[in-house]
Amino acid sequence: MQSMPDRWSVEVAPQLAPEEKIAAWLEVDIDSALHFTRGLVVVTDRRVLAKMSGDIEWGQWLYSDGLSLRHFDHAGIGSLELIDPQKRLACWRYTLGLNVIALRLINHFEQQLEAYLSGQPVHHLDEGVCAQCQAPLPPGEDSCAICPEKKGAVSSRWALFRLVRFAKPYKWSLIFGFLLTLASTAATLVPPYLTLPLMDNILIPYQNGKPIDVGLVRLYMAGLLGSALVAWTLGWARTYILAIVSERIGADLRTSTYEHLLRLS
């Protein structure tokens, strides 16, 4: 069992009876009004102890026949309810990040309650516990399947290679979109090459007193207009094709994710 925070250890120690042992504990992070605060729920071999940060006295409930600890969650908030056959005795709330620890607390509560009522000692299995979430580790395993593996940061660019299998059915559309990108880029480079001879052959000679060659001006202007129209057309076609491909890949991703969720236990 992970060591209890010092502030709680100091408060819990005077509450324990001689030879009373702590089996499990849970530090909750929300009060009954759903305000963020701290509290502690402790399961011992004789009773349940609990206290919120704003409370003066500790609550305690001795083990008895019919006592149970129930768990449920709603809208991202988990709840633990301590009840007996007549009524609800107490309720504690927490964010779902503590859900694994709460389930482990319930398991220890049921073991201790059964042992207390039957008079038989609790049979503890030789199992490791994750230092981060306190969940039992599978036999022969030293890594937790719940907590994320602590690995070095991997560049997000490598994650793009996992999407290749979704892009394969649309490879020709992607290739065509890439060629349109090159063509539209090339079309946007045409006006600068037409502007230079327009300046050298038309505008500068006109400033020096030479007459304007109308046919040459029309040729240059037609080239500028044509390149602009071609660049716009190619850019629109590229955007249209790549937008369709991206939407279809996104749909395939959503479908694959949903199918995977349906196959889970």
Side-chain angles (χ1 to χ4, degrees):
M1 182 176 62
Q2 190 176 14
S3 59
M4 188 180 298
D6 294 338
R7 63 178 296 263
W8 288 118
S9 299
V10 173
E11 294 192 43
V12 171
Q15 306 299 322
L16 299 177
E19 298 183 1
E20 186 177 8
K21 298 179 180 179
I22 297 177
W25 58 272
L26 167 65
E27 186 180 23
V28 297
D29 52 2
I30 294 179
D31 61 12
S32 58
L34 300 183
H35 296 155
F36 285 99
T37 185
R38 292 293 177 178
L40 188 70
V41 182
V42 180
V43 170
T44 73
D45 56 351
R46 304 180 187 181
R47 54 183 172 165
V48 176
L49 295 169
K51 181 184 178 184
M52 299 302 295
S53 295
D55 296 341
I56 300 176
E57 300 293 335
W58 282 80
Q60 56 176 328
W61 299 269
L62 296 174
Y63 292 147
S64 61
D65 193 16
L67 191 68
S68 63
L69 190 60
R70 295 184 180 178
H71 158 268
F72 63 91
D73 62 81
H74 175 71
I77 302 297
S79 298
L80 283 177
E81 289 188 347
L82 184 67
I83 61 175
D84 63 11
Q86 287 77 33
K87 61 182 179 179
R88 186 178 72 174
L89 303 176
C91 179
W92 305 280
R93 302 186 190 279
Y94 57 89
T95 55
L96 286 184
L98 303 173
N99 199 50
V100 173
I101 307 177
L103 294 176
R104 182 171 177 266
L105 181 82
I106 294 175
N107 184 41
H108 280 278
F109 168 83
E110 294 173 348
Q111 291 178 353
Q112 296 297 333
L113 177 63
E114 181 181 359
Y116 182 85
L117 297 178
S118 63
Q120 300 295 326
V122 177
H123 177 65
H124 295 285
L125 297 176
D126 294 332
E127 58 180 13
V129 176
C130 176
Q132 181 175 348
C133 68
Q134 301 186 22
L137 299 178
E141 298 289 338
D142 56 358
S143 60
C144 181
I146 300 174
C147 297
E149 295 184 16
K150 296 180 180 179
K151 297 181 178 179
V154 180
S155 174
S156 59
R157 290 175 296 179
W158 290 103
L160 295 177
F161 289 101
R162 302 177 63 182
L163 301 178
V164 171
R165 64 188 182 95
F166 294 98
K168 282 184 178 180
Y170 312 103
K171 60 181 180 180
W172 293 115
S173 297
L174 289 173
I175 292 174
F176 187 46
F178 177 72
L179 294 177
L180 286 175
T181 301
L182 295 179
S184 63
T185 302
T188 58
L189 296 177
V190 172
Y193 289 98
L194 292 178
T195 303
L196 291 176
L198 180 64
M199 293 288 295
D200 295 338
N201 300 331
I202 303 297
L203 296 179
I204 294 177
Y206 176 72
Q207 291 178 349
N208 295 329
K210 292 184 179 181
I212 295 179
D213 187 347
V214 178
L216 189 59
V217 171
R218 290 176 178 175
L219 179 63
Y220 287 140
M221 297 304 293
L224 290 173
L225 178 62
S227 63
L229 291 176
V230 171
W232 178 84
T233 303
L234 293 176
W236 180 89
R238 175 201 61 190
T239 303
Y240 177 77
I241 291 175
L242 294 182
I244 290 179
V245 172
S246 65
E247 288 297 327
R248 289 179 178 175
I249 292 177
D252 292 345
L253 277 169
R254 292 191 294 270
T255 302
S256 178
T257 302
Y258 185 68
E259 291 177 349
H260 175 70
L261 289 175
L262 292 179
R263 290 194 297 267
L264 296 177
S265 60

